[in-house]
Short mmCIF file of all heavy atoms in Angstrom, two decimals:
data_model
loop_
_atom_site.label_atom_id
_atom_site.label_comp_id
_atom_site.label_asym_id
_atom_site.label_seq_id
_atom_site.Cartn_x
_atom_site.Cartn_y
_atom_site.Cartn_z
N SER A 73 0.83 -1.20 0.00
CA SER A 73 0.00 0.00 0.00
C SER A 73 0.86 1.25 0.00
O SER A 73 0.51 2.25 -0.64
CB SER A 73 -0.93 0.00 1.22
OG SER A 73 -1.84 -1.08 1.16
N VAL A 74 1.97 1.24 0.73
CA VAL A 74 2.89 2.38 0.73
C VAL A 74 3.38 2.65 -0.69
O VAL A 74 3.41 3.80 -1.15
CB VAL A 74 4.07 2.13 1.68
CG1 VAL A 74 5.17 3.19 1.47
CG2 VAL A 74 3.62 2.13 3.13
N HIS A 75 3.74 1.59 -1.39
CA HIS A 75 4.21 1.73 -2.77
C HIS A 75 3.12 2.34 -3.65
O HIS A 75 3.38 3.24 -4.47
CB HIS A 75 4.64 0.37 -3.32
CG HIS A 75 5.06 0.41 -4.77
ND1 HIS A 75 6.28 0.89 -5.18
CD2 HIS A 75 4.39 0.05 -5.90
CE1 HIS A 75 6.36 0.83 -6.50
NE2 HIS A 75 5.24 0.32 -6.96
N THR A 76 1.88 1.87 -3.48
CA THR A 76 0.76 2.38 -4.28
C THR A 76 0.52 3.87 -4.00
O THR A 76 0.34 4.66 -4.92
CB THR A 76 -0.52 1.59 -3.97
OG1 THR A 76 -0.32 0.22 -4.33
CG2 THR A 76 -1.71 2.15 -4.75
N VAL A 77 0.52 4.24 -2.73
CA VAL A 77 0.27 5.63 -2.36
C VAL A 77 1.38 6.54 -2.87
O VAL A 77 1.12 7.63 -3.40
CB VAL A 77 0.09 5.76 -0.83
CG1 VAL A 77 0.03 7.22 -0.41
CG2 VAL A 77 -1.19 5.03 -0.40
N LYS A 78 2.62 6.10 -2.74
CA LYS A 78 3.73 6.89 -3.27
C LYS A 78 3.57 7.09 -4.77
O LYS A 78 3.79 8.20 -5.29
CB LYS A 78 5.06 6.19 -2.96
CG LYS A 78 5.49 6.28 -1.51
CD LYS A 78 6.60 5.31 -1.17
CE LYS A 78 7.86 5.54 -1.94
NZ LYS A 78 8.94 4.61 -1.52
N SER A 79 3.17 6.04 -5.48
CA SER A 79 2.98 6.15 -6.93
C SER A 79 1.86 7.12 -7.27
O SER A 79 1.97 7.92 -8.21
CB SER A 79 2.68 4.77 -7.53
OG SER A 79 3.76 3.88 -7.34
N LEU A 80 0.77 7.08 -6.49
CA LEU A 80 -0.34 8.00 -6.71
C LEU A 80 0.08 9.46 -6.53
O LEU A 80 -0.26 10.33 -7.33
CB LEU A 80 -1.49 7.67 -5.75
CG LEU A 80 -2.48 6.60 -6.19
CD1 LEU A 80 -3.39 6.23 -5.02
CD2 LEU A 80 -3.31 7.07 -7.37
N PHE A 81 0.84 9.71 -5.48
CA PHE A 81 1.31 11.08 -5.23
C PHE A 81 2.18 11.56 -6.38
O PHE A 81 2.05 12.70 -6.85
CB PHE A 81 2.09 11.15 -3.92
CG PHE A 81 1.25 10.97 -2.68
CD1 PHE A 81 1.85 10.87 -1.43
CD2 PHE A 81 -0.13 10.91 -2.74
CE1 PHE A 81 1.10 10.71 -0.28
CE2 PHE A 81 -0.90 10.74 -1.60
CZ PHE A 81 -0.29 10.64 -0.36
N ARG A 82 3.08 10.69 -6.84
CA ARG A 82 3.97 11.07 -7.92
C ARG A 82 3.20 11.32 -9.21
O ARG A 82 3.46 12.28 -9.94
CB ARG A 82 4.99 9.96 -8.11
CG ARG A 82 6.13 10.24 -9.07
CD ARG A 82 7.07 11.30 -8.54
NE ARG A 82 6.76 12.62 -9.09
CZ ARG A 82 7.10 13.75 -8.50
NH1 ARG A 82 7.74 13.75 -7.36
NH2 ARG A 82 6.79 14.91 -9.05
N GLU A 83 2.21 10.47 -9.47
CA GLU A 83 1.40 10.63 -10.68
C GLU A 83 0.62 11.93 -10.65
O GLU A 83 0.47 12.60 -11.67
CB GLU A 83 0.44 9.44 -10.82
CG GLU A 83 1.12 8.14 -11.20
CD GLU A 83 0.19 6.95 -11.01
OE1 GLU A 83 -1.04 7.15 -10.90
OE2 GLU A 83 0.70 5.81 -10.98
N ARG A 84 0.10 12.30 -9.49
CA ARG A 84 -0.66 13.54 -9.39
C ARG A 84 0.25 14.74 -9.67
O ARG A 84 -0.15 15.68 -10.38
CB ARG A 84 -1.32 13.66 -8.02
CG ARG A 84 -2.41 12.62 -7.79
CD ARG A 84 -3.31 12.99 -6.66
NE ARG A 84 -4.07 14.21 -6.92
CZ ARG A 84 -5.13 14.28 -7.74
NH1 ARG A 84 -5.53 13.20 -8.39
NH2 ARG A 84 -5.76 15.42 -7.92
N ALA A 85 1.43 14.72 -9.10
CA ALA A 85 2.36 15.82 -9.36
C ALA A 85 2.73 15.88 -10.84
O ALA A 85 2.76 16.96 -11.44
CB ALA A 85 3.60 15.67 -8.50
N ASP A 86 2.98 14.73 -11.43
CA ASP A 86 3.35 14.70 -12.85
C ASP A 86 2.21 15.18 -13.75
O ASP A 86 2.44 15.63 -14.87
CB ASP A 86 3.76 13.28 -13.25
CG ASP A 86 5.07 12.85 -12.60
OD1 ASP A 86 5.81 13.72 -12.11
OD2 ASP A 86 5.35 11.63 -12.59
N ALA A 87 0.96 15.09 -13.23
CA ALA A 87 -0.20 15.56 -13.99
C ALA A 87 -0.51 17.04 -13.71
O ALA A 87 -1.53 17.55 -14.17
CB ALA A 87 -1.42 14.70 -13.65
N GLY A 88 0.37 17.71 -12.95
CA GLY A 88 0.19 19.14 -12.71
C GLY A 88 -0.53 19.49 -11.43
O GLY A 88 -0.76 20.66 -11.13
N ARG A 89 -0.88 18.48 -10.63
CA ARG A 89 -1.49 18.72 -9.32
C ARG A 89 -0.38 18.95 -8.29
O ARG A 89 0.81 18.85 -8.60
CB ARG A 89 -2.38 17.55 -8.90
CG ARG A 89 -3.50 17.22 -9.89
CD ARG A 89 -4.49 18.35 -9.96
NE ARG A 89 -5.69 17.99 -10.71
CZ ARG A 89 -6.03 18.48 -11.87
NH1 ARG A 89 -5.22 19.34 -12.48
NH2 ARG A 89 -7.16 18.15 -12.47
N ALA A 90 -0.75 19.25 -7.06
CA ALA A 90 0.23 19.51 -6.00
C ALA A 90 -0.11 18.66 -4.78
O ALA A 90 -1.28 18.48 -4.44
CB ALA A 90 0.23 20.99 -5.62
N VAL A 91 0.93 18.16 -4.13
CA VAL A 91 0.77 17.33 -2.93
C VAL A 91 1.60 17.94 -1.81
O VAL A 91 2.82 18.13 -1.96
CB VAL A 91 1.20 15.87 -3.17
CG1 VAL A 91 1.04 15.04 -1.89
CG2 VAL A 91 0.40 15.25 -4.31
N PHE A 92 0.94 18.25 -0.69
CA PHE A 92 1.59 18.75 0.52
C PHE A 92 1.54 17.63 1.53
O PHE A 92 0.46 17.28 2.02
CB PHE A 92 0.87 20.00 1.03
CG PHE A 92 1.53 20.68 2.20
CD1 PHE A 92 2.38 21.76 2.00
CD2 PHE A 92 1.30 20.25 3.50
CE1 PHE A 92 2.98 22.40 3.08
CE2 PHE A 92 1.89 20.89 4.58
CZ PHE A 92 2.74 21.96 4.37
N MET A 93 2.68 17.05 1.85
CA MET A 93 2.74 15.83 2.66
C MET A 93 3.55 16.06 3.93
O MET A 93 4.76 16.27 3.89
CB MET A 93 3.39 14.70 1.84
CG MET A 93 3.59 13.40 2.60
SD MET A 93 4.38 12.12 1.58
CE MET A 93 6.01 12.85 1.32
N SER A 94 2.86 16.04 5.07
CA SER A 94 3.55 16.09 6.36
C SER A 94 3.85 14.65 6.79
O SER A 94 2.97 13.79 6.77
CB SER A 94 2.66 16.77 7.40
OG SER A 94 3.25 16.70 8.68
N THR A 95 5.09 14.38 7.16
CA THR A 95 5.46 13.02 7.48
C THR A 95 6.68 12.96 8.39
O THR A 95 7.52 13.85 8.38
CB THR A 95 5.74 12.21 6.20
OG1 THR A 95 6.03 10.85 6.54
CG2 THR A 95 6.91 12.79 5.42
N HIS A 96 6.72 11.90 9.21
CA HIS A 96 7.93 11.56 9.95
C HIS A 96 8.73 10.47 9.23
O HIS A 96 9.82 10.11 9.68
CB HIS A 96 7.58 11.06 11.35
CG HIS A 96 7.13 12.14 12.29
ND1 HIS A 96 7.90 13.24 12.60
CD2 HIS A 96 5.98 12.30 12.99
CE1 HIS A 96 7.26 14.01 13.46
NE2 HIS A 96 6.09 13.47 13.70
N THR A 97 8.16 9.94 8.15
CA THR A 97 8.81 8.85 7.42
C THR A 97 9.79 9.45 6.43
O THR A 97 9.45 9.76 5.29
CB THR A 97 7.75 7.98 6.70
OG1 THR A 97 6.69 7.67 7.61
CG2 THR A 97 8.39 6.69 6.20
N LEU A 98 11.02 9.62 6.86
CA LEU A 98 11.99 10.39 6.09
C LEU A 98 12.37 9.71 4.78
O LEU A 98 12.65 10.40 3.79
CB LEU A 98 13.24 10.66 6.93
CG LEU A 98 13.00 11.48 8.22
CD1 LEU A 98 14.33 11.77 8.90
CD2 LEU A 98 12.25 12.77 7.94
N ASP A 99 12.38 8.38 4.75
CA ASP A 99 12.74 7.72 3.50
C ASP A 99 11.67 7.93 2.43
O ASP A 99 11.98 8.00 1.23
CB ASP A 99 13.03 6.23 3.71
CG ASP A 99 11.83 5.47 4.24
OD1 ASP A 99 10.99 6.08 4.92
OD2 ASP A 99 11.75 4.25 4.00
N VAL A 100 10.40 8.06 2.85
CA VAL A 100 9.34 8.37 1.89
C VAL A 100 9.54 9.78 1.34
O VAL A 100 9.45 10.01 0.13
CB VAL A 100 7.96 8.23 2.56
CG1 VAL A 100 6.86 8.78 1.64
CG2 VAL A 100 7.67 6.78 2.90
N ALA A 101 9.82 10.73 2.23
CA ALA A 101 10.08 12.09 1.78
C ALA A 101 11.25 12.14 0.82
O ALA A 101 11.21 12.81 -0.22
CB ALA A 101 10.34 12.99 2.99
N GLU A 102 12.30 11.41 1.16
CA GLU A 102 13.51 11.42 0.33
C GLU A 102 13.26 10.81 -1.04
O GLU A 102 13.82 11.25 -2.04
CB GLU A 102 14.62 10.65 1.05
CG GLU A 102 15.99 10.81 0.43
CD GLU A 102 17.09 10.28 1.33
OE1 GLU A 102 16.77 9.61 2.34
OE2 GLU A 102 18.27 10.54 1.04
N SER A 103 12.36 9.82 -1.11
CA SER A 103 12.17 9.09 -2.36
C SER A 103 11.22 9.78 -3.33
O SER A 103 11.36 9.61 -4.55
CB SER A 103 11.67 7.67 -2.07
OG SER A 103 10.37 7.70 -1.49
N ILE A 104 10.23 10.56 -2.84
CA ILE A 104 9.25 11.10 -3.78
C ILE A 104 9.12 12.62 -3.78
O ILE A 104 8.51 13.19 -4.68
CB ILE A 104 7.85 10.49 -3.56
CG1 ILE A 104 7.26 10.91 -2.21
CG2 ILE A 104 7.88 9.00 -3.73
CD1 ILE A 104 5.79 10.56 -2.07
N ALA A 105 9.68 13.30 -2.79
CA ALA A 105 9.47 14.75 -2.71
C ALA A 105 10.35 15.51 -3.69
O ALA A 105 11.54 15.21 -3.83
CB ALA A 105 9.74 15.25 -1.29
N ASP A 106 9.77 16.49 -4.37
CA ASP A 106 10.54 17.39 -5.22
C ASP A 106 11.28 18.41 -4.36
O ASP A 106 12.41 18.78 -4.67
CB ASP A 106 9.61 18.11 -6.19
CG ASP A 106 8.91 17.14 -7.12
OD1 ASP A 106 9.57 16.58 -8.00
OD2 ASP A 106 7.70 16.94 -6.95
N ARG A 107 10.58 18.89 -3.31
CA ARG A 107 11.21 19.79 -2.35
C ARG A 107 10.83 19.35 -0.94
O ARG A 107 9.82 18.68 -0.74
CB ARG A 107 10.78 21.24 -2.57
CG ARG A 107 11.35 21.88 -3.83
CD ARG A 107 11.05 23.39 -3.85
NE ARG A 107 9.62 23.63 -3.78
CZ ARG A 107 9.06 24.61 -3.08
NH1 ARG A 107 9.80 25.44 -2.35
NH2 ARG A 107 7.73 24.78 -3.08
N ILE A 108 11.65 19.77 0.00
CA ILE A 108 11.45 19.43 1.41
C ILE A 108 11.52 20.70 2.22
O ILE A 108 12.47 21.49 2.07
CB ILE A 108 12.52 18.43 1.88
CG1 ILE A 108 12.40 17.11 1.10
CG2 ILE A 108 12.39 18.17 3.38
CD1 ILE A 108 13.62 16.21 1.22
N ALA A 109 10.51 20.94 3.06
CA ALA A 109 10.52 22.07 3.98
C ALA A 109 10.60 21.53 5.40
O ALA A 109 9.88 20.59 5.75
CB ALA A 109 9.27 22.93 3.81
N ILE A 110 11.48 22.10 6.20
CA ILE A 110 11.66 21.67 7.59
C ILE A 110 11.27 22.82 8.51
O ILE A 110 11.78 23.93 8.38
CB ILE A 110 13.11 21.24 7.85
CG1 ILE A 110 13.48 20.05 6.94
CG2 ILE A 110 13.31 20.86 9.32
CD1 ILE A 110 14.93 19.60 7.07
N ILE A 111 10.35 22.54 9.42
CA ILE A 111 9.90 23.53 10.40
C ILE A 111 10.43 23.14 11.78
O ILE A 111 10.44 21.96 12.14
CB ILE A 111 8.36 23.66 10.40
CG1 ILE A 111 7.90 24.82 11.28
CG2 ILE A 111 7.68 22.35 10.78
CD1 ILE A 111 6.42 25.16 11.12
N HIS A 112 10.90 24.13 12.52
CA HIS A 112 11.49 23.90 13.85
C HIS A 112 11.17 25.11 14.72
O HIS A 112 11.42 26.25 14.32
CB HIS A 112 13.00 23.71 13.71
CG HIS A 112 13.70 23.28 14.96
ND1 HIS A 112 13.16 22.37 15.85
CD2 HIS A 112 14.92 23.63 15.47
CE1 HIS A 112 14.01 22.18 16.85
NE2 HIS A 112 15.07 22.93 16.65
N HIS A 113 10.57 24.86 15.89
CA HIS A 113 10.14 25.95 16.77
C HIS A 113 9.27 26.96 16.03
O HIS A 113 9.38 28.18 16.23
CB HIS A 113 11.34 26.66 17.39
CG HIS A 113 12.15 25.79 18.31
ND1 HIS A 113 11.58 25.04 19.32
CD2 HIS A 113 13.49 25.56 18.38
CE1 HIS A 113 12.53 24.38 19.97
NE2 HIS A 113 13.69 24.66 19.42
#
């Protein structure tokens, strides 16, 4: 299911949509994110 969801997110971005994903799963962020924003305090 993780693989399917990652593929869906990527497909949506490739189709011109936008995905804002908050996550603690850093390997997922590293594998599919075009950009990464880090918030602290």
Side-chain angles (χ1 to χ4, degrees):
S73 296
V74 169
H75 176 77
T76 299
V77 172
K78 286 165 62 176
S79 297
L80 274 170
F81 291 172
R82 188 68 263 157
E83 289 167 17
R84 293 197 64 76
D86 291 344
R89 303 294 190 249
V91 179
F92 186 96
M93 176 181 66
S94 174
T95 183
H96 286 302
T97 313
L98 299 185
D99 62 332
V100 170
E102 191 168 11
S103 65
I104 67 169
D106 298 289
R107 289 189 302 140
I108 297 164
I110 299 177
I111 187 169
H112 188 39
H113 295 311

